[in-house]
Amino acid sequence: MAHTDVQEILGTLKDVDFPAGKDDLLRAARTGGASEEALKALRGIPPDRYANRDEVARSVRVDPDSDLGHSAAQRAQQARKGGKPGLSQHLRDADKPPVQDELDR
């Protein structure tokens, strides 16, 4: 699982003409300046033809909380905190760190 987010990956694919295959997507991502993590995520998708960016977004495996915008401190708090049985760590409540709360005022 790559430590990137879907928006980063799709941002590097803005010049792709769909439908496109996996090799076309990787080539466009390299040309678009994708990070190594984004390339790793694209290498992990099935070798199919993709009709549009939404299909690519559904196929890419990324860190589950990458779209939640949690800071490193919030992720650490989630790891320390217990949750309901069956509740994934990335879905546990996480308060803002006191420093971030001060900066937001």
Side-chain angles (χ1 to χ4, degrees), residues 9-20:
I9 294 167
L10 294 180
T12 63
L13 300 177
K14 58 184 170 240
D15 296 330
V16 174
D17 292 325
F18 287 98

Side-chain angles (χ1 to χ4, degrees), residues 32-101:
S35 68
E36 188 57 39
E37 289 295 323
L39 291 172
K40 180 179 175 182
L42 282 172
R43 283 192 292 268
I45 64 174
D48 294 331
R49 291 202 56 79
Y50 295 89
N52 53 44
R53 294 163 49 99
D54 291 334
E55 286 186 6
V56 175
R58 286 192 298 268
S59 296
V60 172
R61 291 188 61 204
V62 295
D63 189 14
D65 98 7
S66 66
D67 62 341
L68 298 177
H70 289 145
S71 68
Q74 288 171 310
R75 288 191 298 273
Q77 181 186 15
Q78 287 173 318
R80 289 189 302 271
K81 206 175 195 184
K84 296 177 185 173
L87 183 64
S88 295
Q89 175 180 319
H90 75 280
L91 295 176
R92 295 177 187 162
D93 289 333
D95 300 325
K96 278 186 178 179
V99 171
Q100 186 64 42
D101 197 32

